[in-house]
Amino acid sequence: MFIKFYSPPIRKIGFCFLLLVPLAAICQPPKAADPDKGLKDYYQSFFPMGVAIRPQSVSGPEAALILKHFSSITAENAMKMGPIHPKENEFFWKDADVIADFAQANKLKLRGHTLCWHNQTPNWLFKDDQGKDVTKEVLLKRLKEHITAVVTRYKGKIYAWDVVNEVIDDDDSKYFRESPWYKIAGEEFVEKAFLYAHEADPNALLFYNDYNTESAGKRDRIYKMLKGLLEKKVPIHGVGLQAHWSIFSPTEDELRQSIEKFSSLGLQLQFTELDISVYQSEHSRRDRRADESDVLTPEMEAKQIEQYKMAFKLFREYKDKITGVTFWNVSDKSTWLDNFPVRGRKNYPLLFDQNYNPKKAYWEVVRF
Ligand code: GLA
């Protein structure tokens, strides 16, 4: 349709020249409708545009979409502790290497995700031969060995690492999450993880990464922890705000407060796992109720467009503080939210639809 309109026959071009200036402008394609431009091109002077991918994404239609729209990638799962280090003396590099090679071959930036987390983490880390909890000393030694091996392998290829993921509890009456890391090693494992990562690659940018960063209580507690790390001169350069959002939250004001508060620490900000669910936020896994529809309604779509517009308006406004925005998954064809928190409920959280086409929300994000 655009081609027909924007490639008028010669006699129509002549006619256009006769028209006055305002009307002549209509002959130009609107900025947002250039079919050759990708998301990354519209945002070239703002920040790199990233996406979390699987090893299967490096060929076929998904690869084409990634290369057109994104300038940065993250491994969705392949570099997490469990997948990459399943046993004490065994690493599984294949999937992570596929993704790192794809980044190198196509000159994409590569974010590393994630060196220390309580989920998708192998149990051997925390247990001795008898199945008892290891000591703090042993746990930190294992953490160091893990981080050194992984960071060294991708040194010079990964420009930024999510070093520690999600250590702050969701409950405002608590501080640290009661994970095996915390129970065995106390708060200290966080600073150690940053030190080990910095030793292995002094040039990599190191991030703390978490979700619900727009909830006032959790925002304050994450801020407190980060401030403590900076006061101790721990090598940390940025905070990753995951941005697993919904069409109902956060509000513009909540998001603005988070950007202001975290950037006041002098840390760079990245939105590391952006998606906007069309349902209310929930955090506990459950089955789908019999009466629960998962059809995308026009109301959901309209709300999602508004939420994406709001988020990118603020991202652009704060471009001096923000050094990256990464989507969590490529298109609505398949996303982690299709099974979480509600098993078997389809979700539509991204800017590309199930056929890899840009959604209406996409055009609103690039129209500015
Ligand atoms: C968290 C993690 C990600 C991913 C998402 C869900 O946000 O940081 O690695 O597991 O949950 O996919």
Side-chain angles (χ1 to χ4, degrees):
M1 197 173 79
F2 286 130
I3 295 176
K4 223 172 154 191
F5 181 75
Y6 296 126
S7 312
I10 300 293
R11 65 176 186 283
K12 282 200 184 156
I13 291 179
F15 176 66
C16 258
F17 276 117
L18 296 176
L19 296 176
L20 295 174
V21 176
L23 197 50
I26 302 173
C27 295
Q28 301 297 317
K31 218 171 142 199
D34 184 341
D36 296 328
K37 269 180 139 180
L39 197 51
K40 65 176 166 42
D41 305 310
Y42 291 103
Y43 280 86
Q44 199 171 22
S45 62
F46 291 87
F47 32 71
M49 201 59 88
V51 63
I53 72 163
R54 304 164 182 164
Q56 308 87 281
S57 313
V58 306
S59 58
E62 230 173 58
L65 188 134
I66 293 164
L67 295 177
K68 175 166 181 183
H69 291 282
F70 299 98
S71 53
S72 169
I73 55 173
T74 304
E76 181 185 1
N77 290 301
M79 294 184 187
K80 291 173 177 171
M81 297 185 104
I84 211 165
H85 199 168
K87 296 189 182 141
E88 185 162 11
N89 296 311
E90 189 180 311
F91 286 89
F92 176 75
W93 302 113
K94 194 165 145 265
D95 286 354
D97 283 356
V98 166
I99 291 171
D101 291 348
F102 181 70
Q104 291 273 293
N106 294 289
K107 300 192 169 46
L108 302 172
K109 289 169 95 70
L110 181 58
R111 295 192 85 256
H113 176 84
T114 176
L115 296 171
C116 178
W117 192 25
H118 63 281
N119 271 335
Q120 292 179 263
T121 295
N123 214 26
W124 65 259
L125 270 163
F126 307 109
K127 301 290 176 191
D128 66 15
D129 294 344
Q130 271 85 50
K132 294 209 192 83
D133 279 357
V134 291
T135 60
K136 174 174 175 177
E137 199 187 11
V138 170
L139 185 60
L140 292 181
K141 183 169 168 284
R142 288 179 178 178
L143 179 65
K144 180 170 189 176
E145 283 165 3
H146 170 80
I147 290 181
T148 306
V150 177
V151 173
T152 303
R153 185 170 183 95
Y154 300 108
K155 194 169 174 172
K157 296 183 175 170
I158 288 185
Y159 83 101
W161 271 104
D162 289 330
V163 178
V164 177
N165 211 28
E166 304 178 351
V167 300
I168 299 300
D169 206 288
D170 282 315
D171 181 341
D172 281 346
S173 68
K174 297 187 176 149
Y175 186 27
F176 271 66
R177 183 188 294 277
E178 289 277 326
S179 69
W181 292 107
Y182 183 73
K183 283 190 201 140
I184 297 173
E187 294 182 19
E188 208 186 330
F189 77 90
V190 176
E191 62 193 72
K192 289 290 190 215
F194 280 96
L195 288 169
Y196 302 151
H198 188 62
E199 268 169 37
D201 184 355
N203 293 321
L205 296 171
L206 305 182
F207 282 74
Y208 173 72
N209 192 48
D210 212 333
Y211 66 96
N212 269 355
T213 47
E214 293 69 46
S215 305
K218 192 160 175 188
R219 180 201 292 133
D220 287 351
R221 285 175 292 121
I222 294 172
Y223 175 90
K224 177 178 159 188
M225 197 235 351
L226 295 172
K227 196 157 183 287
L229 294 177
L230 289 166
E231 279 162 6
K232 286 188 189 167
K233 307 258 180 284
V234 172
I236 173 171
H237 311 102
V239 53
L241 311 180
Q242 290 186 2
H244 289 299
W245 293 331
S246 107
I247 56 176
F248 303 103
S249 65
T251 63
E252 179 168 345
D253 190 47
E254 287 167 335
L255 177 53
R256 187 182 292 283
Q257 284 191 45
S258 290
I259 296 174
E260 297 270 353
K261 182 143 193 163
F262 291 121
S263 61
S264 75
L265 288 166
L267 292 171
Q268 50 176 285
L269 303 192
Q270 294 203 0
F271 291 89
T272 51
E273 305 186 16
L274 175 60
D275 46 32
I276 298 184
S277 163
V278 298
Y279 307 105
Q280 292 281 359
S281 291
E282 287 177 73
H283 294 291
S284 306
R285 214 174 249 291
R286 67 171 174 85
D287 286 325
R288 185 173 157 189
R289 290 188 299 269
D291 64 341
E292 210 170 3
S293 162
D294 63 358
V295 172
L296 181 69
T297 66
E299 290 75 23
M300 288 169 170
E301 194 184 17
K303 277 198 158 75
Q304 190 184 51
I305 291 170
E306 286 313 307
Q307 193 70 333
Y308 265 120
K309 267 174 79 172
M310 180 279 283
F312 276 85
K313 186 184 76 158
L314 286 200
F315 296 167
R316 292 192 299 272
E317 185 180 330
Y318 287 98
K319 69 170 186 175
D320 296 346
K321 320 274 184 211
I322 298 172
T323 57
V325 172
T326 295
F327 286 81
W328 206 249
N329 296 134
V330 180
S331 81
D332 289 351
K333 190 177 184 69
S334 161
T335 86
W336 75 288
L337 291 169
D338 292 338
N339 278 302
F340 186 86
V342 179
R343 275 178 280 268
R345 182 184 64 178
K346 181 71 195 149
N347 208 327
Y348 312 86
L350 299 164
L351 290 184
F352 299 95
D353 69 15
Q354 295 183 71
N355 299 311
Y356 303 115
N357 292 319
K359 291 160 60 175
K360 286 184 200 148
Y362 172 91
W363 295 114
E364 292 303 324
V365 161
V366 301
R367 185 174 291 134
F368 56 88

